[in-house]
Amino acid sequence: MEVLIVAVQETSGSALYGMLDVLLAAGNIWQTLVRDETAERPFSVRIVAQSGTAFNCGNGIPVVPDCSVADNPGGDILILPELWLGPDEDIKGRYPELMDWIRRKYREGCMLYSACSGAIMLAETGLLDGCEATSHWAYQDLFRTRYPKVRFHPEPNLVFADMAGRIVTAGGTTSWHDLALHIISRHCSPGEALRIAKVYLLKWHAEGQLPYTTLVRRTPHADSVVRACEQWLAGHFLETDAIRQVVKMAGVPERTLKRRFKAATGSTLIEYLQNLRIEEAKRLLETGQLSVDEISVAVSYEDASFFRRLFKRCTGLTPSQYRRMFQPVSGAGATV
């Protein structure tokens, strides 16, 4: 099966070459390791770029394209890997010929896959308009403001844009792992995907992106009253009557403040407060030994059962599951 991976100057080298390496290893690396003589290569993989000239992609990593858009290479699968872009940065107007070519390949029957912020390139083509999609959670505000026709979901690790699955988007930075396993399972076999996962120690992120998502983000806006409220809440979110106090501090009617807060940040006032508290709970779970009930009280929730429900709604995990998942990471640098 012919696979084309798009590379531009903003492309992440780890995603580009990681995907290239894993797909080329399918069908043969496990077989080589266990001395199975039936090794084969189900995928032929090439890098395609704006031109055939060598260039450096993200972090100065060199790329030597196998072909260019002008060559119009044939392919069954087209992959758009992660791009190094800021959370407020799109690629509008940067690669018009490439956008036209991606649209043409889709019309010709090619299957399109994007990993992480590669979905921004896909959104720029217009092929995601009216469709479900995902990308890294940090780009949800970008999709909301720049690509409002895309039904963006920051939670899952994979999203099918259409019933036939001809367009598939994957979530956060290392979601290319999930995407590679999906492509191998779908176009080779589930057994081969499992073998590749074992060789490369790849993990399927069934938990989605919620556990990794920061719940409090600085959203650019021009409402000075709301900005002052955000700053005040950052230092007083543990106070039991924080909502009443911030309304008083704002000096505007409560209904007006709530409306303006939602319009400026995309979150309700109570959601913003809850997110601050859950972020603090996450920090305590990652780094300390307090019990879940003690953490509940520490973040101003006397009702531990409510805290547990709220925590799971925000992160996709129970507090205990979250601790088991992330506390080993925070202690990874400890000496034995």
Side-chain angles (χ1 to χ4, degrees):
M1 181 164 281
E2 298 287 330
V3 178
L4 301 171
I5 306 181
V6 172
V8 294
Q9 288 184 339
E10 296 85 354
T11 295
S12 161
S14 61
L16 172 66
Y17 288 112
M19 183 71 76
L20 178 73
D21 183 54
V22 169
L23 290 181
L24 286 175
N28 60 87
I29 191 169
W30 172 275
Q31 290 77 3
T32 299
L33 291 173
V34 300
R35 298 181 178 84
D36 184 341
E37 296 181 0
T38 64
E40 59 180 4
R41 287 188 186 272
F43 299 108
S44 171
V45 189
R46 290 181 289 171
I47 296 174
V48 59
Q50 280 272 95
S51 72
T53 305
F55 64 96
N56 291 337
C57 67
N59 288 328
I61 296 173
V63 178
V64 181
D66 297 298
C67 48
S68 70
V69 168
D71 298 327
N72 192 27
D76 307 292
I77 292 171
L78 180 62
I79 299 173
L80 311 178
E82 176 192 359
L83 305 172
W84 286 118
L85 294 173
D88 304 305
E89 185 181 4
D90 59 32
I91 57 169
K92 193 171 294 294
R94 295 191 195 180
Y95 302 105
E97 297 89 355
L98 179 58
M99 298 299 110
D100 288 340
W101 180 75
I102 292 171
R103 286 188 285 265
R104 185 165 75 249
K105 297 307 289 183
Y106 181 72
R107 290 195 300 269
E108 292 173 356
C110 203
M111 303 191 72
L112 303 184
Y113 295 96
S114 71
C116 191
S117 48
I120 297 173
M121 182 180 289
L122 198 50
E124 189 64 30
T125 68
L127 293 172
L128 286 179
D129 287 356
C131 298
E132 312 276 336
T134 192
S135 180
H136 195 286
W137 51 262
Y139 296 107
Q140 55 188 301
D141 293 328
L142 175 70
F143 274 83
R144 178 170 58 88
T145 57
R146 308 284 180 88
Y147 304 106
K149 294 181 181 179
V150 180
R151 300 199 296 275
F152 186 83
H153 299 281
E155 306 90 357
N157 61 334
L158 287 182
V159 169
F160 282 56
D162 59 322
M163 293 296 291
R166 285 193 56 211
I167 300 179
V168 180
T169 55
T173 303
T174 56
S175 65
W176 70 262
H177 297 178
D178 301 69
L179 187 61
L181 292 176
H182 171 74
I183 290 171
I184 295 168
S185 178
R186 186 176 185 181
H187 300 287
C188 186
S189 75
E192 186 56 30
L194 182 58
R195 288 186 283 270
I196 286 293
K198 289 179 178 179
V199 171
Y200 282 88
L201 277 67
L202 299 182
K203 175 184 176 293
W204 180 258
H205 296 89
E207 70 278 2
Q209 296 192 78
L210 274 181
Y212 306 90
T213 304
T214 180
L215 299 173
V216 180
R217 300 182 308 281
R218 185 177 177 85
T219 304
H221 62 78
D223 193 320
S224 59
V225 172
V226 171
R227 183 65 69 206
C229 290
E230 290 178 280
Q231 292 171 350
W232 187 91
L233 285 169
H236 300 84
F237 64 90
L238 293 179
E239 297 185 19
T240 55
D241 61 344
I243 294 294
R244 183 188 64 80
Q245 289 194 59
V246 78
V247 171
K248 182 179 179 180
M249 185 275 298
V252 298
E254 183 172 349
R255 290 182 62 183
T256 301
L257 177 61
K258 289 179 176 178
R259 175 180 53 78
R260 287 172 61 172
F261 199 96
K262 173 71 173 177
T265 68
S267 299
T268 66
L269 190 55
I270 188 63
E271 286 171 344
Y272 193 85
L273 175 62
Q274 289 174 338
N275 288 343
L276 286 166
R277 291 174 172 176
I278 295 301
E279 280 296 326
E280 175 64 9
K282 287 161 66 174
R283 185 188 69 80
L284 293 173
L285 288 164
E286 292 162 0
T287 60
Q289 299 300 324
L290 290 176
S291 71
V292 173
D293 286 358
E294 289 172 323
I295 290 174
S296 176
V297 174
V299 296
S300 302
Y301 292 114
E302 295 292 336
D303 185 343
S305 62
F306 173 80
F307 166 71
R308 284 179 168 86
R309 292 194 300 272
L310 177 63
F311 190 94
K312 185 166 186 180
R313 189 174 78 228
C314 292
T315 69
L317 301 174
T318 67
S320 296
Q321 289 171 331
Y322 185 91
R323 170 172 272 161
R324 286 195 296 271
M325 186 171 184
F326 288 104
Q327 198 171 71
V329 177
S330 67
T335 57
V336 178

